[in-house]
Amino acid sequence: QVQLVESGGGLVQPGGSLRLSCAASGSGFSINAMGWYRQAPGKERELVAAITSRGRINYADSVKVRFTISRDNAKNTIYLQMNSLKPEDTAVYYCNANLVDRRGYTMLYWGKGSLVTVSS
């Protein structure tokens, strides 16, 4: 059984920083890619940033320069460093993992979500 455990959300003032982490626990899988999505109230879930097993990175235009995604392969963990936060970054941030099991099947997993609130 694979689980994605997120941490690091909270309340921060505009211009501040937060760091999210997401660890994939379990066994019998390899990681194709992991990433972060977010969903603000009344809006659709959108990709924030993603990183593949080969290190290819993709960012949403709205967070380029301000956010940085990184990974620790030994820990099956990714991080999202969020700087210069704006009120419009307020959302629930979800970790996503694209994994391959021992049989070669691709599986998608989602974390439970971490609330990030940017407000003065």
Side-chain angles (χ1 to χ4, degrees), residues 71-111:
R71 62 181 183 177
D72 183 333
N73 289 336
K75 296 181 180 180
N76 287 336
T77 299
I78 61 169
Y79 306 93
L80 186 68
Q81 178 66 42
M82 304 184 291
N83 298 328
S84 302
L85 283 161
K86 305 175 181 179
E88 51 263 44
D89 294 318
T90 295
V92 178
Y93 284 70
Y94 295 92
C95 178
N96 169 271
N98 181 313
L99 311 176
V100 179
D101 67 10
R102 292 191 183 97
R103 302 164 298 173
Y105 293 123
T106 298
M107 307 172 293
L108 291 176
Y109 286 90
W110 290 93

Side-chain angles (χ1 to χ4, degrees), residues 22-68:
C22 173
S25 65
S27 61
F29 65 88
S30 60
I31 297 174
N32 282 334
M34 292 182 70
W36 295 95
Y37 286 71
R38 68 185 180 186
Q39 188 165 18
K43 295 188 177 181
E44 293 186 353
R45 191 173 296 189
E46 62 175 359
L47 174 68
V48 176
I51 183 168
T52 70
S53 59
R54 297 185 178 184
R56 182 174 180 178
I57 292 174
N58 186 34
Y59 291 105
D61 288 343
S62 59
V63 306
K64 282 180 180 177
V65 178
R66 299 187 298 122
F67 290 10
T68 302

